[in-house]
Amino acid sequence: MEPIFIAGPCVIESEELLDTVAREIKRINGVYGIDVIFKSSFDKANRTSIGSYRGPGLEKGLQMLGDIKERYGLRILTDIHESYQAEAAGEVCDILQIPAFLCRQTDLLIAAAKTGKTVNIKKAQFLSGQDMRFPVEKAKAAGANDVWLTERGNSFGYNNLVVDFRNIPDMLEITETVIMDCTHSVQRPGAGGGKTSGDRRFVPNMALAAKAFGANGYFFEVHPDPDKGLSDGPNMLHLKDLEQIVKRLI
């Protein structure tokens, strides 16, 4: 199968940001004849601090994502944190993503599955790849036909993650599509004094290592100026570097 690419800013900050990233993704799609999926979140409900920026919310955020879909012809992925968000998100987005911390939430999985859209379940930081059989079973039992799994690292002591790449072949025994989240896997959760830190230097290596272990999809959070990003800045990739990584992977 052709590799799946997912890219976009961590959270919706402005219409200008979405347009800037979407234009570059559309250009890359045209150059390489691929279909990079556009990702951004209307709400980041699991930020470290109560004062952290969360996004424009469900109604405004989905309107903005819908505008990007119409304007640029891109497929859209966003994450949902509560069951009531699934139906509305499914009317706009092509893929609904279940956050890692919530991947065992039965009602959330069922609500996402009932939309009929592809469901991308991120592996929790506290689970093994083999454990992800059960979230997939929940989604499929609720009617999901297409379920993806995403590797994003495991908790490793305090404020750090480690990636066990054996999780990728383990999850490929559960579902046909396994995505490597190349940017969240370089996070250092809570290590930024009330926010998450990280190290984007390792993002390309995460992608290439995942490819060696059989991953067939790659997830990159990107931003034209990630150091000024309102969420996950330290581990987001510079937008200008996305094309080179995509080129290497294909």
Side-chain angles (χ1 to χ4, degrees):
M1 60 183 293
E2 293 295 320
I4 294 168
F5 293 98
I6 302 164
C10 178
V11 65
I12 298 172
E13 299 178 17
S14 66
E15 291 182 3
E16 180 183 7
L17 173 64
L18 296 187
D19 275 328
T20 298
V21 176
R23 279 197 302 269
E24 176 64 2
I25 289 176
K26 184 174 178 64
R27 185 190 69 81
I28 291 172
N29 283 346
V31 170
Y32 297 98
I34 57 177
D35 178 27
V36 179
I37 299 163
F38 185 91
K39 180 270 171 183
S40 197
S41 299
F42 56 80
D43 180 22
K44 300 298 292 186
N46 56 357
R47 296 300 306 276
T48 303
S49 168
I50 188 66
S52 297
Y53 177 75
R54 289 181 52 170
L58 179 67
E59 184 176 352
K60 178 64 174 176
L62 289 177
Q63 177 188 334
M64 295 168 78
L65 290 174
D67 289 345
I68 290 296
K69 182 175 186 177
E70 182 177 355
R71 190 176 303 128
Y72 296 99
L74 299 173
R75 287 198 289 164
I76 303 292
L77 177 150
T78 200
D79 40 8
I80 57 173
H81 292 83
E82 299 190 55
S83 302
Y84 80 87
Q85 298 171 341
E87 184 176 1
E91 292 177 357
V92 174
C93 302
D94 304 276
I95 301 101
L96 298 185
Q97 182 166 276
I98 307 299
F101 286 130
L102 302 179
C103 73
R104 292 177 56 168
Q105 295 296 104
T106 302
D107 290 344
L108 185 62
L109 289 163
I110 289 173
K114 285 184 175 180
T115 66
K117 298 302 178 78
T118 296
V119 180
N120 182 35
I121 310 173
K122 300 185 77 172
K123 181 183 71 60
Q125 299 89 331
F126 49 84
L127 294 179
S128 73
Q130 293 173 336
D131 292 330
M132 295 306 293
R133 180 177 310 277
F134 304 105
V136 170
E137 287 177 353
K138 290 178 182 180
K140 289 189 173 180
N145 293 317
D146 192 21
V147 182
W148 301 351
L149 289 174
T150 294
E151 167 62 33
R152 53 98 69 245
N154 283 84
S155 297
F156 187 69
Y158 296 109
N159 304 128
N160 216 340
L161 298 173
V162 65
V163 177
D164 182 349
F165 287 96
R166 295 174 298 180
N167 285 326
I168 292 172
D170 282 347
M171 291 193 291
L172 284 167
E173 293 181 1
I174 301 168
T175 190
E176 293 181 355
T177 304
V178 173
I179 311 292
M180 180 67 202
D181 186 339
C182 306
T183 45
H184 285 101
S185 60
V186 302
Q187 280 183 334
R188 292 180 180 170
K195 59 184 179 181
T196 290
S197 184
D199 194 338
R200 71 176 67 93
R201 291 179 302 159
F202 300 112
V203 169
N205 295 327
M206 287 291 181
L208 294 170
K211 181 176 181 179
F213 275 84
N216 44 31
Y218 307 92
F219 180 111
F220 302 100
E221 287 193 334
V222 297
H223 194 288
D225 190 356
D227 290 331
K228 294 182 179 178
L230 299 182
S231 177
D232 274 350
N235 46 270
M236 276 198 288
L237 190 69
H238 282 279
L239 180 61
K240 64 181 176 59
D241 296 330
L242 177 61
E243 180 179 5
Q244 187 60 35
I245 293 180
V246 168
K247 184 178 179 181
R248 292 180 72 183
L249 291 168
I250 60 175

